[in-house]
Amino acid sequence: MKVLDIVIEENIKIAEDIYLLSFKNKYIAENYKPGNFVNIKIQDNSIYPLLRRPFSISYIQDDVVYIGYQVIGVGTELLAKKKKGYILNIIGPLGNNFEIPQNIKSVSLIGGGMGIWPLYGLARQLSQNKVMFDVYLGFRNKEKSFFIEKFKDIAENIYISSDDGSIGFKGNIIELFTSNKKNYEIIYSCGPKVMLRTLKDLNLNNQIYVSLEEKMACGIGACLGCSIKGENDNIFHVCSDGPVFNIMEVNLNESKS
Ligand SMILES: Cc1cc2nc3c(=O)[nH]c(=O)nc-3n(C[C@H](O)[C@H](O)[C@H](O)COP(=O)(O)OP(=O)(O)OC[C@H]3O[C@@H](n4cnc5c(N)ncnc54)[C@H](O)[C@@H]3O)c2cc1C
Ligand code: FES
């Protein structure tokens, strides 16, 4: 992990309120593993917003690092205005990663909204390792959908849902996953807490790994800002113990978001 000044290569709108930002950085490219994130200081010459903002590294190609984000509040609104050539200070790569066991055969990725970003980097890694996998992508609506074609290029099967039915199955992505009745040895998932909780409540026998999003400040395990409860009333720091956890380890009812 390093503190780095990076130069924005592109920061483009790819769907409603959704942007893809890229920058070239050899250190991040060489040290990245799917699931890692970066903590970005969004304003350079101002103390506001004070706290850095965490974003998953979506994928890396030829030393170019891609990060996708949705405009939510003050930080992401400011980020969306930054143009090619702007220098951002980032810390990364941070956090743990999705482990890919040897000889794994049936895999599914289940992503909801912004949780889809880190799964794309994982999908590329699986594809490189010649592991077949299915992808389930849940969006709010068609206008907020993204990366479908990119996943189609590397996934065995792709299943889409949207809350309003404007694209794919009408309903949430866990409903679509459940109705498919397909069994997988391992499931990797990232998305809103409610989606992950529903996945956990299915009580499946598969190995399930989830990447969690918690409000963060330092991003390096120093401030307790991102603490969540484990199933044994132990405490995890999402930034340094995660963001990827075995779903059985974490208490998704107790966490803050
Ligand atoms: C490990 C990790 C990976 C993430 N990856 C992505 C990603 O790839 N794409 C993406 O769009 N979003 C991602 N998020 C969520 C993203 O960090 C928030 O949407 C963003 O910080 C909101 O900032 P804001 O200033 O626009 O919102 P504000 O609401 O103004 O933020 C206020 C404060 O809350 C924190 N915050 C708000 N929402 C979240 C949230 N959901 N998670 C964590 N902190 C939050 C901010 O860091 C800030 O400190 C990730 C979060 C984590 C923890
Ligand atoms: S954000 Fe500070 S401990 Fe995790």
Side-chain angles (χ1 to χ4, degrees), residues 5-232:
D5 281 332
I6 56 90
V7 182
I8 295 179
E9 195 126 301
E10 270 194 321
N11 189 21
I12 49 169
K13 189 170 179 179
I14 59 164
E16 190 180 271
D17 294 333
I18 295 174
Y19 289 75
L20 187 64
L21 182 147
S22 61
F23 59 87
K24 203 167 193 157
N25 190 277
K26 210 170 161 47
Y27 176 80
I28 301 246
E30 282 173 354
N31 290 284
Y32 155 82
K33 293 193 178 127
N36 290 161
F37 68 98
V38 291
N39 219 4
I40 303 183
K41 174 146 182 51
I42 290 172
Q43 285 296 75
D44 214 31
N45 299 316
S46 153
I47 56 158
Y48 185 75
L50 184 61
L51 298 176
R52 288 170 181 269
R53 302 296 196 247
F55 298 96
S56 304
I57 296 171
S58 181
Y59 71 104
I60 289 183
Q61 188 166 324
D62 303 331
D63 289 353
V64 178
V65 181
Y66 291 84
I67 286 163
Y69 64 96
Q70 179 165 9
V71 173
I72 298 279
V74 61
T76 44
E77 265 168 28
L78 287 165
L79 189 59
K81 294 197 177 94
K82 305 299 180 205
K83 301 271 186 285
K84 179 182 172 76
Y86 187 88
I87 297 173
L88 280 174
N89 185 268
I90 70 163
I91 305 178
L94 294 168
N96 67 355
N97 57 282
F98 294 106
E99 293 289 345
I100 306 176
Q102 297 267 312
N103 304 320
I104 198 83
K105 296 225 162 32
S106 60
V107 175
S108 75
L109 311 188
I110 309 176
M114 295 303 100
I116 290 168
W117 299 114
L119 296 184
Y120 182 64
L122 173 65
R124 287 169 64 104
Q125 182 71 66
L126 290 166
S127 170
Q128 220 172 305
N129 295 7
K130 310 254 179 298
V131 177
M132 302 284 218
F133 58 94
D134 288 351
V135 180
Y136 296 78
L137 306 177
F139 300 101
R140 182 117 17 113
N141 55 44
K142 189 171 185 217
E143 287 68 39
K144 290 198 188 307
S145 66
F146 59 92
F147 270 33
I148 293 174
E149 295 306 319
K150 280 179 172 288
F151 275 103
K152 269 188 189 158
D153 285 345
I154 51 178
E156 181 76 351
N157 297 294
I158 177 161
Y159 305 96
I160 308 288
S161 76
S162 58
D163 296 347
D164 65 357
S166 52
I167 185 166
F169 169 83
K170 183 173 186 219
N172 74 52
I173 197 63
I174 303 297
E175 281 177 77
L176 179 56
F177 172 79
T178 317
S179 67
N180 245 356
K181 294 192 169 52
K182 286 177 86 170
N183 200 20
Y184 300 95
E185 278 173 85
I186 186 160
I187 298 169
Y188 299 102
S189 188
C190 185
K193 193 59 47 70
V194 59
M195 173 192 132
L196 302 180
R197 202 178 293 141
T198 312
L199 180 62
K200 185 168 182 175
D201 289 345
L202 295 176
N203 286 317
L204 301 171
N205 288 324
N206 324 64
Q207 288 182 66
I208 306 179
Y209 293 95
V210 291
S211 178
L212 302 184
E213 287 186 6
E214 260 338 285
K215 297 207 173 192
M216 286 187 184
C218 71
I220 54 169
C223 74
L224 301 182
C226 63
S227 59
I228 57 158
K229 273 194 180 172
E231 275 297 3
N232 301 321

Side-chain angles (χ1 to χ4, degrees), residues 232-247:
N232 301 321
D233 277 348
N234 48 332
I235 300 290
F236 290 116
H237 290 167
V238 172
C239 66
S240 49
D241 298 319
V244 179
F245 294 91
N246 182 320
I247 204 166

